[in-house]
Amino acid sequence: MEKLYENLERTLASLLEGDDDHISCMANAAACIWELVPEINWAGFYRLRDGVLVLGPFQGRPACIRIPLGKGVCGTAAAENRSQLVPDVHLFPGHIACDSASRAEIVVPLRDKSGSVRGVLDVDSPRLRRFGGGDLEGFEAAARVIEKALF
Ligand code: SME
C-alpha cells in the first residue's frame, strides 16, 4: 500500500482508539483524511438510518442530506455492499452532484461485525481520474479501521 495510506491508516487507528462515539470519531476521521490526502474537495460520511443514507460529519462544501439506497454513487455502494471507484463522475449513471467541482469519487461501505452495511465513507476530487486502485485499497484499509472503532 502507498506510504500516504499507510500513514492515514496509522493516524486513524491512534485517533480513534479509546472512543466509540460515532459523531466524534467520524468528525475526526473526516478531518484526518482532509488533512492528509491531496487533491480532494470532499471527505466524509453518510450513515444508514431506516433504509436511507443520512449525511454525517464531513469536510468540504455542504452536501445533500438524504440519499436513498441504490441512488447515486453512495446509494449504489451501500445497496450493493461494494466499494465504488468512479474515475469520471459524469459517466456514472445517476451520480448526485453536491459540488459541481467534483470530477472523481470513491465510496467505501462501512460494515458492522456481522457484515451489514452501516454507512459509507465518501471522498471526492476535483481532478478527473484522480483515484486509482491504490487509492481504493488505501481507503478500504481506512474504512476497516473506522468501522472497527465504531461498530
Ligand atoms: N456524489 C455522491 C453524493 C454525495 S456528495 O459527493 C458529497 C453520490 O452520487 O452519491
Side-chain angles (χ1 to χ4, degrees):
M1 192 164 41
E2 285 177 40
K3 271 221 149 28
L4 163 71
Y5 289 106
E6 282 175 11
N7 186 26
L8 177 64
E9 193 180 347
R10 243 196 331 269
T11 310
L12 281 172
S14 73
L15 254 183
L16 304 184
E17 198 192 330
D19 208 303
D20 64 354
D21 183 90
H22 290 196
I23 300 296
S24 312
C25 288
M26 286 180 180
N28 262 344
C32 183
I33 292 168
W34 186 255
E35 203 166 73
L36 292 180
V37 181
E39 290 187 285
I40 59 175
N41 62 329
W42 205 90
F45 298 90
Y46 280 87
R47 296 172 299 147
L48 188 58
R49 295 181 66 199
D50 301 325
V52 177
L53 289 172
V54 182
L55 183 64
F58 67 94
Q59 299 274 316
R61 298 189 68 189
C64 48
I65 295 178
R66 286 171 195 272
I67 300 177
L69 276 185
K71 299 289 180 193
V73 185
C74 292
T76 301
E80 296 182 3
N81 195 352
R82 202 153 46 88
S83 298
Q84 304 291 313
L85 170 60
V86 183
D88 181 350
V89 296
H90 294 167
L91 299 181
F92 188 96
H95 166 256
I96 300 164
C98 292
D99 181 347
S100 60
S102 294
R103 295 305 312 277
E105 183 162 359
I106 278 189
V107 180
V108 180
L110 297 172
R111 308 174 180 109
D112 61 22
K113 305 261 180 308
S114 74
S116 301
V117 176
R118 300 290 297 273
V120 299
L121 166 64
D122 179 14
V123 185
D124 289 10
S125 172
R127 181 159 72 81
L128 193 62
R129 290 186 277 279
R130 160 68 182 83
F131 303 120
D135 300 283
L136 181 61
E137 194 191 341
F139 283 119
E140 285 184 333
R144 298 299 77 85
V145 172
I146 295 163
E147 67 194 9
K148 193 169 154 218
L150 293 184
F151 306 121

